[in-house]
Amino acid sequence: MANYSGKSSSAEKTEVRLVVAGDPGTGKTSLILAVQNDSVPQQVVSVLPTTRLPDDFYPDRVPVTIVDTSSSLENRNKLAQELKLADAVVLTYACDQPETLDRLTTFWLPELRKLEVRVPVIVVGCKLDAREDTQVSLEQVMSPIMQKFREIETCIECSARNMIQIPEVFYYAQKAVVHPTGPLFDQETQSLKPRCVRALKRIFIICDQDRDGTLSDAELNDFQVKCFNAPLQPAEIVGVKKVVQEKMSEGVSDRGLTLTGFLFLHALFIEKGRLETTWTVLRKFGYDNEIKLRDDLVSVSFKRAPDQSVELTNEAIEFLKGIFCLFDLDGDGALRPAELDDLFSTAPESPWNESPYKDAAETTVVGGLSLDGFLSKWSLMTLLEPAKSLANLIYLGYTGDSASALRLTRRRKLDRKKQQSERNVFQCFVFGPTKAGKSALLNSFLGRPFAESYSPTTTQRFAANVVEQVGRTTLILREIPEDEVKPLLSSKESLSACDVAVFVHDSSDEQSWKRAKEMLIDVASNGEASGFEVPCLIVAAKEDLDSYPTAIQDSVRVCRDMGIEAPIPISNKMADLNNVFSKIINAAERPHLSIPETEAGRSRKQYRHLVNRSLMFVSVGAAVAVVGLAAYRVYAARKSSSS
């Protein structure tokens, strides 16, 4: 792409702040004066006020502000403050003073790390005209330093007195901010970074309109026009493919430029210092400086109340089913880890490599993900992080907007009034004391074998799966560790996202039931106080052990008194689950039932009922009095007229 250049976008950067630092006498102030005035006066002040270059000084038209600094001890705090505000640091040494070069590695570069200044560094050798030893090249001097300090973006020598490479110093500094190397290229391995490769692969697929795995001459030209507003001449296209073929034969086929060749070209541009080329391409396709799609492209437009949730639309689900089939290369009805990695190879990274998604769905014996498991993970991600879900849909090739991909559910308060829920995805909070069997319940839900050894859950954990009812409903279980219950309930809106609360206790342990009962009362009280009341179910786990009679009797009595269903006995060890997951779905679908009522809540309700009745009697009495008064006035008027 010989014409692969042009004015590039500066993405989110509207101004670049450069801070010039270095030892005294290395030429900092003269360097700034030279770029500002094209000359240096005989008398130079010690520190200049902040300087701003004209907006059109460089091709990117991004304004540059240059901050001069003093390295004296009394100004050390101010220097540290300025360095922390910098977009890039211009670090100077004097070519005629070798000791100032040594100070870069003994003080300045370690100091930047100590201050946690994580921005590009441009090392500038000033006073080039005064250097005596001309035999040693800049590359020889700086190569070992750059190996040790990877934050150095580039090195350059200049002379303010003779106006040698003065504008170039600040051009490279501005370019390091507007078109940074770090996100694109690994200097150590001399290769494109994984996230850059993934973004370019997605761009290649988008531009490969006939889906034949190559960019034809016409597709290559369309790509050039989209990114650089200028077509490629036929001779230029031939030239581009020739360059690629000479270096990498698999980069070109008889149909056009392959993905391998496309990636090679970008690596070549970066190696030659033409980072603006790759950045222009990335930004034309919506990427920011972290090589993720810009927030405005993946924002979820609708506002939601605390008790509303977000689900995938049928359109998005059908798209995901198609993607699943496309990447299930062996046709076994499951995505193996390698197939899943390939599926997400156009996203910045796989969104499911870490918790809460990593182990949240049922897998096959060899670690494959069925279609139900695949869609369940998407439902979980959409529930927890709608914008992340939308972004990954787009990375996979979805072309719709948030309105076509995501739907906002009805408020849970309204569901209770209407006595039914229209949700397709329900979230169930699983409460219970330590060793009650919460984790075992989640593992059973995901088809995992019972574990004899106990492993405590220290953080909230999720399990998502499809439950076959009249239709296909996704249930998400959220395990709440015992020590996180109080912090959770400290928030007024803590239960707003909950469709059903389940309280698991060890039926062979009286203390386990007492603790579960306390949690039930706390949750019920929170719901009554906040208005986010939720259906509650009690699960008596470990039915394979000898039950504690008192606990059974008390749990039945508590259910009766609070107006909820009797405890559901299960044994995860014996795989006897008593249709517990279907019962959870039934409770969620009829959210006006199974809502526990505490004594305090019942008293408040009775009081409100009494007040309302009193107000009603007062209203009726007032109405009778008004009617009586009107009748009296009619009677009095008639009597007056007859007399």
Side-chain angles (χ1 to χ4, degrees), residues 7 20 57 60 160 255 305 363 387 448 597 643:
K7 197 171 292 183
V20 183
F57 198 86
D60 286 297
R255 294 194 304 273
T363 56
R448 293 173 187 165
E597 191 174 47
S643 62

Side-chain angles (χ1 to χ4, degrees), residues 218-524:
E219 289 168 338
L220 205 54
N221 192 59
D222 290 343
F223 167 79
Q224 172 76 14
V225 171
K226 177 180 174 63
C227 294
F228 304 101
N229 301 316
L232 282 170
Q233 299 302 317
E236 291 175 323
I237 294 176
V238 171
V240 167
K241 292 195 288 189
K242 184 178 180 182
V243 168
V244 174
Q245 200 157 28
E246 286 175 353
K247 299 287 186 179
M248 187 174 288
S249 58
E250 65 270 29
V252 178
S253 74
D254 55 355
R255 294 194 304 273
L257 188 71
T258 66
L259 174 60
T260 302
F262 186 71
L263 295 174
F264 167 77
L265 272 177
H266 283 280
L268 187 64
F269 293 136
I270 294 168
E271 286 177 11
K272 291 183 178 296
R274 294 172 58 186
L275 289 96
E276 64 274 13
T277 299
T278 300
W279 275 118
T280 298
V281 171
L282 290 169
R283 286 165 182 157
K284 281 290 184 180
F285 283 86
Y287 287 90
D288 61 16
N289 277 9
E290 294 180 357
I291 317 189
K292 297 187 300 183
L293 287 175
R294 296 194 317 269
D295 290 343
D296 62 295
L297 297 178
V298 296
S299 62
V300 177
S301 56
F302 42 73
K303 293 181 180 180
R304 51 182 168 140
D307 60 344
Q308 288 180 291
S309 58
V310 182
E311 297 179 2
L312 294 168
T313 61
N314 289 333
E315 182 180 327
I317 291 171
E318 290 304 313
F319 168 79
L320 288 171
K321 286 179 179 178
I323 288 291
F324 182 92
C325 294
L326 183 65
F327 284 87
D328 181 17
L329 299 178
D330 53 11
D332 64 348
L335 293 178
R336 292 176 288 108
E339 292 171 331
L340 203 58
D341 287 343
D342 191 25
L343 184 147
F344 283 117
S345 64
T346 51
E349 52 270 321
S350 172
W352 299 340
N353 284 341
E354 305 293 336
S355 63
Y357 308 109
K358 186 175 182 180
D359 297 313
E362 185 173 2
T363 56
T364 64
V365 178
V366 293
L369 199 61
S370 68
L371 178 60
D372 280 350
F374 180 70
L375 294 177
S376 294
K377 280 200 176 187
W378 276 100
S379 294
L380 175 61
M381 185 162 62
T382 305
L383 179 81
L384 299 181
E385 302 176 275
K388 183 174 183 176
S389 184
L390 176 63
N392 280 282
L393 281 170
I394 295 171
Y395 288 132
L396 297 190
Y398 185 77
T399 55
D401 58 9
S402 62
S404 67
L406 308 175
R407 64 179 287 264
L408 192 63
T409 64
R410 192 167 64 193
R411 294 193 64 176
R412 290 179 173 86
K413 285 183 179 180
L414 191 55
D415 284 347
R416 288 199 297 275
K417 284 184 179 179
K418 291 185 175 291
Q419 301 187 356
Q420 65 176 12
S421 175
E422 57 165 16
R423 283 176 170 76
N424 298 313
V425 179
F426 294 109
Q427 180 171 201
C428 170
F429 286 15
V430 181
F431 296 97
T434 303
K435 297 184 179 180
K438 301 187 298 296
S439 296
L441 180 67
L442 267 70
N443 288 335
S444 295
F445 186 48
L446 300 179
R448 293 173 187 165
F450 178 80
E452 293 286 352
S453 59
Y454 172 69
S455 178
T457 302
T458 56
T459 58
Q460 294 190 26
R461 176 192 165 201
F462 292 84
N465 210 341
V466 172
V467 178
E468 296 289 350
Q469 298 282 91
V470 177
R472 289 166 54 85
T473 304
T474 301
L475 176 62
I476 294 171
L477 301 181
R478 177 182 175 185
E479 180 182 354
I480 315 291
E482 183 177 5
D483 58 0
E484 289 194 23
V485 175
K486 278 194 175 181
L488 174 73
L489 296 179
S490 64
S491 168
K492 181 182 177 182
E493 297 177 350
S494 58
L495 298 175
S496 61
C498 179
D499 292 296
V500 181
V502 164
F503 299 85
V504 182
H505 70 278
D506 179 348
S507 59
S508 69
D509 184 345
E510 184 179 22
Q511 290 303 315
S512 181
W513 158 244
K514 286 183 177 179
R515 185 71 188 100
K517 180 171 70 173
E518 290 172 4
M519 292 181 186
L520 170 62
I521 293 170
D522 287 344
V523 168

